[in-house]
Amino acid sequence: MYKNFFKRVIDFCSALIAFLLLSPLFLLVMIGLAFANEGKPFFFQKRPGKNGKIFSIIKFKTMNDKKDANGNLLSDVERLTPIGAFVRKTSLDEIPQLINVLKGDMSLIGPRPLLTNYLSLYNDFQSRRHEVRPGITGWAQVNGRNSISWAKKFEHDIWYVDNLSLVLDIRICFLTLKKVFFREGINQDGQATTEPFKGN
């Protein structure tokens, strides 16, 4: 009952309250990133949701679009703006995803939505992460986030799918607050973002 009905009700109500409470902070960050990114405070990208359905995820844009002499984007580290680094470290870049939760694309808790080009790389076990809505935070995020291997991330994701419950979601919420407060596991060593998934 929780998985198929109450989870969605709790998601919607919680996301609406959170968005209203965070709206002043949302506006401040949006204005700051608009100045840093030449009027582009938001980042939109196609991601697979529940049952592999594609949706557009909304995040704050923490990296600019600067390119080298050949027209290629600079590395993530070079494009990460000072305000973008702060927004990422404090996980403020996730706030716009509350809109995705309100729309029903995402849940507050669930496996993180990954890139669409990873879909063809998953084996049957890894594909099971799409049996539930993706989340803003999840079991993998509170157990290492970007600092753990892809294999371990998938193990955590599928464990969550098999053990989804209200008690587990509440536990993940509290652990997420702890992770954000201590800024744990945000990046892999030497990188601004996690290493791309290259298949099995």
Side-chain angles (χ1 to χ4, degrees):
M1 182 66 78
Y2 172 72
K3 178 179 179 179
N4 296 319
F5 179 73
F6 286 113
K7 182 173 172 66
R8 174 63 190 145
V9 173
I10 292 172
D11 278 340
F12 183 86
C13 294
S14 300
L16 181 59
I17 293 170
F19 190 79
L20 292 175
L21 291 175
L22 294 172
S23 57
L25 184 58
F26 179 93
L27 290 173
L28 283 174
V29 175
M30 183 180 71
I31 293 170
L33 289 173
F35 280 108
N37 298 319
E38 300 178 348
K40 300 176 182 178
F42 298 108
F43 171 77
F44 300 89
Q45 191 174 55
K46 298 295 184 183
R47 299 287 177 95
K50 186 177 180 181
N51 299 321
K53 182 181 178 181
I54 306 300
F55 70 96
S56 292
I57 195 172
I58 310 168
K59 298 184 73 174
F60 277 130
K61 188 177 176 66
T62 57
M63 295 186 289
N64 58 42
D65 297 318
K66 290 184 179 179
K67 300 179 180 179
D68 60 23
N70 297 317
N72 300 312
L73 285 173
L74 297 175
S75 69
D76 289 351
V77 173
E78 294 173 296
R79 293 188 295 120
L80 185 64
T81 62
I83 186 174
F86 172 78
V87 167
R88 180 171 291 181
K89 284 181 179 179
T90 53
S91 295
L92 294 175
D93 58 323
E94 312 290 356
I95 293 177
Q97 289 170 68
L98 291 171
I99 298 172
N100 287 122
V101 176
L102 292 172
K103 290 171 60 182
D105 299 325
M106 296 176 62
S107 173
L108 293 176
I109 311 294
R112 284 293 298 160
L114 302 177
L115 300 177
T116 55
N117 56 303
Y118 292 171
L119 287 171
S120 62
L121 302 177
Y122 297 151
N123 57 35
D124 291 341
F125 175 77
Q126 294 162 344
S127 294
R128 292 195 57 221
R129 70 193 315 278
H130 297 301
E131 292 178 9
V132 298
R133 283 187 179 89
I136 294 178
T137 186
W139 189 239
Q141 280 60 52
V142 298
N143 282 283
R145 198 173 175 179
N146 290 337
S147 63
I148 59 176
S149 69
W150 278 106
K152 185 59 67 174
K153 284 181 186 179
F154 287 124
E155 286 180 19
H156 288 317
D157 287 343
I158 308 309
W159 186 89
Y160 174 81
V161 170
D162 289 336
N163 294 275
L164 194 160
S165 69
L166 175 60
V167 173
L168 178 59
D169 279 358
I170 292 173
R171 181 183 178 190
I172 292 172
C173 281
F174 281 108
L175 289 173
T176 296
L177 293 175
K178 174 179 177 290
K179 289 285 182 180
V180 171
F181 183 78
F182 289 105
R183 301 180 184 180
E184 298 173 349
I186 295 174
N187 300 324
Q188 288 185 331
D189 292 339
Q191 300 188 55
T193 56
T194 189
E195 182 181 350
F197 179 58
K198 299 176 182 177
N200 301 283

